[in-house]
Short mmCIF file of all heavy atoms in Angstrom, two decimals:
data_model
loop_
_atom_site.label_atom_id
_atom_site.label_comp_id
_atom_site.label_asym_id
_atom_site.label_seq_id
_atom_site.Cartn_x
_atom_site.Cartn_y
_atom_site.Cartn_z
N ALA A 1044 -34.05 -11.52 -1.84
CA ALA A 1044 -33.83 -12.50 -0.77
C ALA A 1044 -32.69 -13.43 -1.19
O ALA A 1044 -32.42 -13.59 -2.39
CB ALA A 1044 -35.10 -13.30 -0.53
N PRO A 1045 -32.02 -14.06 -0.22
CA PRO A 1045 -30.92 -14.97 -0.57
C PRO A 1045 -31.43 -16.13 -1.42
O PRO A 1045 -32.52 -16.64 -1.19
CB PRO A 1045 -30.44 -15.48 0.78
CG PRO A 1045 -30.93 -14.50 1.79
CD PRO A 1045 -32.20 -13.95 1.24
N LYS A 1046 -30.62 -16.53 -2.39
CA LYS A 1046 -31.00 -17.66 -3.25
C LYS A 1046 -30.92 -18.96 -2.47
O LYS A 1046 -31.75 -19.84 -2.60
CB LYS A 1046 -30.05 -17.70 -4.44
CG LYS A 1046 -30.39 -18.76 -5.45
CD LYS A 1046 -29.55 -18.56 -6.70
CE LYS A 1046 -29.91 -19.60 -7.75
NZ LYS A 1046 -29.02 -19.48 -8.92
N ASN A 1047 -29.88 -19.04 -1.64
CA ASN A 1047 -29.58 -20.31 -1.00
C ASN A 1047 -29.25 -20.05 0.48
O ASN A 1047 -28.15 -19.61 0.80
CB ASN A 1047 -28.39 -20.93 -1.75
CG ASN A 1047 -27.90 -22.19 -1.10
OD1 ASN A 1047 -28.48 -22.68 -0.13
ND2 ASN A 1047 -26.81 -22.72 -1.64
N PHE A 1048 -30.21 -20.35 1.35
CA PHE A 1048 -30.01 -20.06 2.77
C PHE A 1048 -28.91 -20.90 3.40
O PHE A 1048 -28.44 -20.60 4.48
CB PHE A 1048 -31.32 -20.24 3.54
CG PHE A 1048 -32.25 -19.07 3.37
CD1 PHE A 1048 -33.34 -19.16 2.50
CD2 PHE A 1048 -32.03 -17.88 4.03
CE1 PHE A 1048 -34.19 -18.09 2.32
CE2 PHE A 1048 -32.87 -16.81 3.86
CZ PHE A 1048 -33.95 -16.91 3.00
N SER A 1049 -28.51 -21.99 2.74
CA SER A 1049 -27.46 -22.81 3.34
C SER A 1049 -26.06 -22.29 2.97
O SER A 1049 -25.07 -22.79 3.49
CB SER A 1049 -27.63 -24.27 2.95
OG SER A 1049 -27.55 -24.38 1.56
N ASP A 1050 -25.99 -21.28 2.09
CA ASP A 1050 -24.70 -20.63 1.83
C ASP A 1050 -24.42 -19.65 2.96
O ASP A 1050 -25.12 -18.65 3.10
CB ASP A 1050 -24.75 -19.90 0.48
CG ASP A 1050 -23.50 -19.04 0.25
OD1 ASP A 1050 -22.51 -19.20 1.00
OD2 ASP A 1050 -23.53 -18.21 -0.68
N PRO A 1051 -23.39 -19.93 3.78
CA PRO A 1051 -23.15 -19.04 4.93
C PRO A 1051 -22.85 -17.60 4.51
O PRO A 1051 -23.05 -16.67 5.28
CB PRO A 1051 -21.95 -19.66 5.63
CG PRO A 1051 -21.31 -20.56 4.63
CD PRO A 1051 -22.41 -21.01 3.70
N PHE A 1052 -22.35 -17.41 3.29
CA PHE A 1052 -21.99 -16.06 2.84
C PHE A 1052 -23.12 -15.36 2.09
O PHE A 1052 -22.98 -14.21 1.71
CB PHE A 1052 -20.73 -16.13 1.96
CG PHE A 1052 -19.57 -16.75 2.66
CD1 PHE A 1052 -19.02 -17.94 2.20
CD2 PHE A 1052 -19.04 -16.17 3.80
CE1 PHE A 1052 -17.96 -18.54 2.87
CE2 PHE A 1052 -17.97 -16.75 4.46
CZ PHE A 1052 -17.43 -17.94 4.00
N LEU A 1053 -24.20 -16.09 1.85
CA LEU A 1053 -25.36 -15.51 1.14
C LEU A 1053 -24.89 -14.75 -0.11
O LEU A 1053 -25.17 -13.57 -0.30
CB LEU A 1053 -26.15 -14.58 2.07
CG LEU A 1053 -26.69 -15.21 3.35
CD1 LEU A 1053 -27.36 -14.16 4.22
CD2 LEU A 1053 -27.67 -16.35 3.05
N ARG A 1054 -24.16 -15.46 -0.94
CA ARG A 1054 -23.51 -14.79 -2.07
C ARG A 1054 -24.46 -14.39 -3.19
O ARG A 1054 -24.21 -13.43 -3.90
CB ARG A 1054 -22.39 -15.67 -2.62
CG ARG A 1054 -21.13 -15.56 -1.76
CD ARG A 1054 -20.13 -16.60 -2.13
NE ARG A 1054 -20.60 -17.91 -1.65
CZ ARG A 1054 -19.81 -18.96 -1.52
NH1 ARG A 1054 -18.53 -18.87 -1.84
NH2 ARG A 1054 -20.29 -20.10 -1.07
N GLU A 1055 -25.54 -15.18 -3.33
CA GLU A 1055 -26.45 -14.83 -4.43
C GLU A 1055 -27.79 -14.37 -3.91
O GLU A 1055 -28.36 -14.98 -3.00
CB GLU A 1055 -26.64 -16.06 -5.33
CG GLU A 1055 -25.45 -16.32 -6.22
CD GLU A 1055 -25.71 -17.50 -7.12
OE1 GLU A 1055 -26.40 -17.33 -8.14
OE2 GLU A 1055 -25.26 -18.62 -6.76
N TRP A 1056 -28.29 -13.33 -4.52
CA TRP A 1056 -29.57 -12.76 -4.10
C TRP A 1056 -30.54 -12.78 -5.27
O TRP A 1056 -30.17 -12.48 -6.41
CB TRP A 1056 -29.35 -11.33 -3.60
CG TRP A 1056 -28.62 -11.36 -2.29
CD1 TRP A 1056 -27.29 -11.62 -2.12
CD2 TRP A 1056 -29.19 -11.20 -0.99
NE1 TRP A 1056 -26.98 -11.61 -0.76
CE2 TRP A 1056 -28.13 -11.36 -0.05
CE3 TRP A 1056 -30.47 -10.94 -0.51
CZ2 TRP A 1056 -28.33 -11.26 1.33
CZ3 TRP A 1056 -30.66 -10.83 0.86
CH2 TRP A 1056 -29.61 -11.00 1.76
N VAL A 1057 -31.77 -13.18 -4.96
CA VAL A 1057 -32.80 -13.28 -5.98
C VAL A 1057 -33.78 -12.15 -5.80
O VAL A 1057 -34.26 -11.91 -4.69
CB VAL A 1057 -33.57 -14.62 -5.86
CG1 VAL A 1057 -34.49 -14.81 -7.06
CG2 VAL A 1057 -32.61 -15.76 -5.73
N LYS A 1058 -34.08 -11.48 -6.88
CA LYS A 1058 -35.04 -10.38 -6.78
C LYS A 1058 -36.46 -10.91 -6.89
O LYS A 1058 -36.73 -11.85 -7.63
CB LYS A 1058 -34.76 -9.36 -7.86
CG LYS A 1058 -33.43 -8.66 -7.65
CD LYS A 1058 -33.07 -7.78 -8.80
CE LYS A 1058 -31.62 -7.33 -8.67
NZ LYS A 1058 -31.17 -6.63 -9.87
N PHE A 1059 -37.34 -10.28 -6.18
CA PHE A 1059 -38.75 -10.63 -6.21
C PHE A 1059 -39.27 -10.36 -7.62
O PHE A 1059 -38.97 -9.32 -8.22
CB PHE A 1059 -39.46 -9.76 -5.17
CG PHE A 1059 -40.92 -9.97 -5.03
CD1 PHE A 1059 -41.44 -11.23 -4.75
CD2 PHE A 1059 -41.79 -8.90 -5.17
CE1 PHE A 1059 -42.80 -11.42 -4.60
CE2 PHE A 1059 -43.16 -9.08 -5.02
CZ PHE A 1059 -43.66 -10.33 -4.73
N LYS A 1060 -40.01 -11.33 -8.15
CA LYS A 1060 -40.48 -11.24 -9.54
C LYS A 1060 -41.34 -10.02 -9.79
O LYS A 1060 -41.33 -9.44 -10.86
CB LYS A 1060 -41.31 -12.49 -9.87
CG LYS A 1060 -40.64 -13.41 -10.87
CD LYS A 1060 -41.67 -14.31 -11.52
CE LYS A 1060 -41.40 -15.74 -11.12
NZ LYS A 1060 -42.51 -16.63 -10.97
N HIS A 1061 -42.15 -9.67 -8.76
CA HIS A 1061 -43.13 -8.60 -8.98
C HIS A 1061 -42.63 -7.24 -8.51
O HIS A 1061 -43.43 -6.37 -8.22
CB HIS A 1061 -44.46 -8.97 -8.33
CG HIS A 1061 -44.98 -10.29 -8.81
ND1 HIS A 1061 -45.40 -10.48 -10.10
CD2 HIS A 1061 -45.07 -11.49 -8.19
CE1 HIS A 1061 -45.75 -11.75 -10.24
NE2 HIS A 1061 -45.56 -12.39 -9.09
#
Side-chain angles (χ1 to χ4, degrees):
K1046 184 170 182 185
N1047 175 4
F1048 281 103
S1049 60
D1050 172 12
F1052 303 116
L1053 302 176
R1054 280 169 287 198
E1055 284 182 80
W1056 290 75
V1057 189
K1058 293 173 191 171
F1059 181 56
K1060 248 201 246 147
H1061 305 292

